[in-house]
Amino acid sequence: PNDVDRNSRPSNDNTSQQGVGRMGIGILADFGSGNDDYRSVRLSQGFGIYGVGVLYDEGGNDSYLSEALSQGSAFNGVGLLIDRDGSDEYRMVAYGQGFGFVLGVGALYDNDDAGFDTFYAEPDSTNAMPEYKSPQDNSKNANFCQGAGFGLRGNAIAGGLGFLMTDGNGSDSHIGGIFAISTAYYYATGMLYDAGGDDSYDGDWYAVSGNAHQSACILFDRAGNDTYDTDRSVGLGGGHDVSVGWFVDVSGNDTYTGSAYTLGGSNQCGAGYFIDVSGDDSYDSESNNQGLGRGNFSNELVNDFWQMHLYRLQHYFNWAIFIDGGGNDIYAEKYRSIPTLDPANDRNIIFRQAGNLLTWKRAQHGNGTENPGNPPPQGPNSYWANEYGIGVDTAGSGTVGLDLE
């Protein structure tokens, strides 16, 4: 289909094709093994809106290209893209590759034993496509791709479920910008499962198992020597603002590069859980302060703008857990000294070491001097008492007790 001039206004192409259900059921099935090329603009390639849309491809090295709302995407319906074999390439900008909007379930299932699949959500925004620019950073796109759920926070409308599943031993590549690669926003859920292969995951913000605002996400990778990279904030088992982020890698010698609120990190009454079960892994991050089993309340919640949320001080908690279950692991030099509160005096900062075969507690927050005009509240209901974080690195045998008192 012909799109409008993208240099002057957003896309208004509503041509639906290649397995779309619009108030009905639409199925496109290819039972051959040829190398296929699927191209469309929007509302395509396994998209459901008030209906069920399915795109099924039996095999071959296939290419899927679309702009948005495609490749297993749904709004008040079900959208499925199923590819059974081959080294495939999925490319788009936003809202797909397993995306669920309001009352929607969108899923992308790719099954291959030895293929090399590429899942690409364009991270960099352009003036030709202004509608996808992220509020966090206008130079980046808000993708909501690769296992993403999205709700309307301003309208108080809950989102849907997005699921990306790659089943097989192929080595896959995942690339995205903001809100990508197992992510969710506002009463929504994003999920990503990978069965095996040496995979790479590269996201920016709220990415690679990172989410925000009363949502949930999980990334589960079963095997392979994988590489994980988050450029900025909230990922690798990171939950922000009453959200829960789960990350699980079962086996392989993996490489992790985190950022703020990653590797088991939470912020603003969130929860972040990171588990690497086995393998010789390496860990690094831009800072030793946030993540690696840190639950952070955030001073945002005690500034004047947030006074309405002080109820959370008594009823909401911040949880963060980092667990490495085995192997000879390497931690960046900066983790030799990580800050936490002194258990004997919540206004003093002390330092502990994180590393191979060590256990460390984390309860890191300001000490009242960061904002003298509005210090954090004190007493039994202060947010000192509401942050719980711990990191554990074990040899893979025995039991570790988590004493958070």
Side-chain angles (χ1 to χ4, degrees):
N2 294 320
D3 202 4
V4 297
D5 180 3
R6 295 313 309 264
N7 292 316
S8 62
R9 51 190 171 143
S11 171
N12 65 357
D13 191 301
N14 291 319
T15 303
S16 298
Q17 56 186 344
Q18 300 167 3
V20 177
R22 299 182 69 168
M23 301 189 71
I25 299 174
I27 300 174
L28 172 61
D30 184 325
F31 294 102
S33 59
N35 301 328
D36 304 309
D37 188 6
Y38 298 91
R39 293 175 180 267
S40 186
V41 179
R42 302 193 308 165
L43 313 173
S44 301
Q45 299 174 8
F47 175 72
I49 177 168
Y50 295 96
V52 178
V54 180
L55 171 55
Y56 177 91
D57 189 290
E58 184 71 24
N61 300 326
D62 305 311
S63 173
Y64 300 86
L65 178 63
S66 183
E67 181 181 307
L69 293 167
S70 302
Q71 300 177 15
S73 178
F75 165 43
N76 210 336
V78 177
L80 303 175
L81 194 163
I82 302 171
D83 190 295
R84 293 298 304 274
D85 199 10
S87 295
D88 306 306
E89 183 178 36
Y90 305 86
R91 301 179 70 90
M92 64 184 308
V93 179
Y95 312 128
Q97 297 172 354
F99 168 75
F101 191 40
V102 176
L103 293 176
V105 176
L108 192 163
Y109 173 81
D110 185 287
N111 179 33
D112 67 87
D113 289 329
F116 298 89
D117 298 316
T118 298
F119 301 89
Y120 184 88
E122 176 56 56
D124 299 318
S125 67
T126 67
N127 290 331
M129 297 185 181
E131 65 269 40
Y132 307 121
K133 290 187 176 183
S134 172
Q136 284 78 21
D137 181 350
N138 282 173
S139 71
K140 299 292 182 180
N141 286 318
N143 300 123
F144 289 100
C145 287
Q146 301 176 34
F150 182 43
L152 297 175
R153 187 183 180 202
N155 301 99
I157 301 176
L161 168 65
F163 184 31
L164 170 59
M165 179 176 183
T166 58
D167 194 10
N169 295 316
S171 296
D172 305 317
S173 171
H174 298 263
I175 296 175
I178 298 176
F179 284 108
I181 314 173
S182 179
T183 188
Y185 181 96
Y186 198 70
Y187 291 100
T189 302
M191 305 170 67
L192 190 156
Y193 172 86
D194 186 278
D198 300 335
D199 309 306
S200 65
Y201 302 83
D202 189 350
D204 190 336
W205 194 342
Y206 299 120
V208 194
S209 183
N211 57 341
H213 308 308
Q214 300 85 50
S215 62
C217 67
I218 181 169
L219 191 158
F220 190 102
D221 189 295
R222 197 167 190 84
N225 301 323
D226 306 310
T227 301
Y228 301 90
D229 190 357
T230 59
D231 296 336
R232 281 187 277 189
S233 183
V234 189
L236 293 171
H240 170 69
D241 189 25
V242 201
S243 294
V244 180
W246 274 95
F247 176 93
V248 180
D249 187 292
V250 177
S251 65
N253 303 325
D254 307 307
T255 301
Y256 298 95
T257 303
S259 52
Y261 310 121
T262 62
L263 296 169
S266 70
N267 185 49
Q268 203 168 302
C269 301
Y273 306 110
F274 175 97
I275 301 174
D276 185 292
V277 179
S278 64
D280 299 334
D281 309 305
S282 67
Y283 298 97
D284 199 357
S285 180
E286 65 180 14
S287 169
N288 68 344
N289 189 30
Q290 299 168 331
L292 213 70
R294 173 188 174 184
N296 177 59
F297 193 90
S298 175
N299 280 340
E300 294 175 87
L301 293 176
V302 292
N303 290 335
D304 291 338
F305 179 75
W306 290 96
Q307 288 303 310
M308 70 181 74
H309 294 295
L310 290 180
Y311 173 85
R312 298 183 183 188
L313 294 171
Q314 299 177 350
H315 300 278
Y316 288 78
F317 299 84
N318 302 270
W319 298 93
I321 296 176
F322 170 95
I323 298 176
D324 186 293
N328 186 21
D329 307 305
I330 299 174
Y331 291 77
E333 184 70 22
K334 61 174 66 73
Y335 292 133
R336 289 183 175 272
S337 181
I338 58 174
T340 187
L341 281 183
D342 184 350
N345 185 342
D346 65 14
R347 285 184 173 273
N348 292 336
I349 299 296
I350 61 175
F351 294 88
R352 288 175 170 158
Q353 180 177 352
N356 196 46
L357 304 180
L358 296 178
T359 299
W360 55 94
K361 296 180 182 178
R362 301 214 63 182
Q364 166 63 42
H365 14 244
N367 59 10
T369 63
E370 297 175 354
N371 188 356
N374 186 21
Q378 301 296 309
N381 293 323
S382 76
Y383 66 75
W384 305 136
N386 290 3
E387 297 194 2
Y388 298 90
I390 191 168
V392 179
D393 188 300
T394 77
S397 61
T399 302
V400 176
L402 305 183
D403 178 15
L404 299 179
E405 294 297 329

